[in-house]
Amino acid sequence: MRIAVIGLGSMGMGAALNLLKSAGPDVAGVDPREAARAEFTAAGGTAVASAAELPQGTEAVLVLVVNAAQAREALFGPAGAAPRLAPGAVLIVSSTMAPADARALATEAAARGFLYLDAPVSGGAAGARAGKLTVMASGTPEAVAKAGPVFAATAQKVWDLGAEPGLGSTMKVVHQLLAGVHIAVAAEAMALGIKAGIDPETLYGVVTGAAGNSWMFENRMRHVIDGDETPRSAVDIFVKDLGLVGDLARAEGFPAPLAAQAHQLFVAARALGHGGKDDGFVIRAYQALTGIRLPKDA
């Protein structure tokens, strides 16, 4: 099976490397960044700068770009993958997007004779590298079946949410409500503790060993304590994703005050110039408000 991964970022690279182990030279990676292509090539893969350069007859495409606009461009734009794909190829779109955008992409795919799977993922860069992503998939049984070899190499759990595209994206948006609020409240707790005189390392140890812990606190506040701003997932991602939460809540006539407040915290961190940093550094918004000093600050 000829497989392509479009987007060799923090999650796409991990997925592509696992597919390379499974399917060998039939896996191609697409990324405009020379460094990403070089990394994938060094691992034995084929890397191209544009989807228009994919091998003819590609049968499955895993799309791990930032948003719906990038996904549409990568698949159906002037330099998109569509002309290079085999008839009946499966498009596995794992970008986080509004459900309406997923449905629109699925309609366009069907009109061109392709299968479409609305398949957002969770697990971060570490999960992608380990081949242990969680997939929230919706699409026809035929699409799910054809995507099987891709998921066998990249995922530890595939949730089949039904045949209607958009259900996978809806589930991911709901998930991102939790993820974004958890990161924001983790930053708030760490900032308050620092402001009140608690040693950050001690605070971290107490919380991670007690009932108040969360995966996001344990993961992201470790980055903060270590001063590691490397963006495995950036502040800007949650500006986007919590914006999608707000859009869905408004469409459903549903109040989501915690998501709205968390969203504003990420917007504030971006306004302060931290949009490209690890999302745990949303704590910089609290730093600006309170004057606290983070552990590794000069």
Side-chain angles (χ1 to χ4, degrees):
M1 185 183 220
R2 288 183 178 175
I3 303 170
V5 178
I6 300 179
L8 299 176
S10 58
M11 296 182 73
M13 181 64 77
L17 291 173
N18 281 302
L19 283 164
L20 190 61
K21 294 174 188 175
S22 173
D26 286 333
V27 179
V30 180
D31 200 288
R33 297 168 300 146
E34 184 177 352
R37 297 196 305 273
E39 180 180 349
F40 191 58
T41 301
T46 298
V48 295
S50 164
E53 302 172 63
L54 285 172
Q56 192 69 46
T58 296
E59 299 164 87
V61 180
L62 176 60
V63 181
L64 277 160
V65 296
V66 171
N67 55 33
Q70 288 187 6
R72 180 175 287 104
E73 188 70 14
L75 292 171
F76 306 127
R84 312 297 293 173
L85 304 183
V90 61
L91 314 182
I92 307 161
V93 181
S94 295
S95 308
T96 302
M97 65 182 67
D101 287 326
R103 291 190 289 269
L105 285 172
T107 298
E108 186 162 0
R112 293 171 180 258
F114 302 131
L115 299 171
Y116 187 92
L117 206 57
D118 175 25
V121 294
S122 182
R129 292 271 178 170
K132 293 183 177 181
L133 292 172
T134 295
V135 182
M136 303 160 233
S138 64
T140 64
E142 293 80 7
V144 173
K146 192 153 190 176
V150 175
F151 294 146
T154 59
Q156 67 175 350
K157 176 65 177 180
V158 180
W159 290 94
D160 187 346
L161 298 172
E164 180 187 341
L167 293 173
S169 288
T170 298
M171 184 66 248
K172 180 61 185 290
V173 171
V174 172
H175 175 274
Q176 293 304 84
L177 186 162
L178 288 166
V181 169
H182 285 181
I183 295 169
V185 77
E188 185 170 294
M190 179 62 74
L192 175 60
I194 292 171
K195 179 68 173 175
I198 300 292
D199 171 68
E201 195 70 66
T202 300
L203 189 155
Y204 182 84
V206 171
V207 171
T208 56
N213 192 31
S214 69
W215 190 92
M216 285 299 192
F217 182 96
E218 189 164 345
N219 184 268
R220 300 311 207 264
M221 292 306 103
R222 184 73 263 164
H223 299 168
V224 169
I225 290 173
D226 293 344
D228 183 3
E229 296 180 326
T230 306
R232 291 89 167 172
S233 173
V235 166
D236 280 341
I237 295 294
F238 276 96
V239 173
K240 172 182 72 77
D241 288 2
L242 286 171
L244 292 174
V245 173
D247 292 342
L248 178 63
R250 282 187 292 275
E252 296 294 329
F254 183 86
L258 298 182
Q261 289 202 339
H263 185 222
Q264 287 302 303
L265 191 68
F266 283 98
V267 170
R270 180 170 69 177
L272 289 165
H274 306 296
K277 296 176 182 175
D278 181 271
D279 52 32
F281 284 85
V282 69
I283 198 171
R284 295 286 190 196
Y286 284 111
Q287 183 178 41
L289 290 168
T290 64
I292 60 170
R293 181 181 179 276
L294 300 184
K296 297 296 183 179
D297 285 352

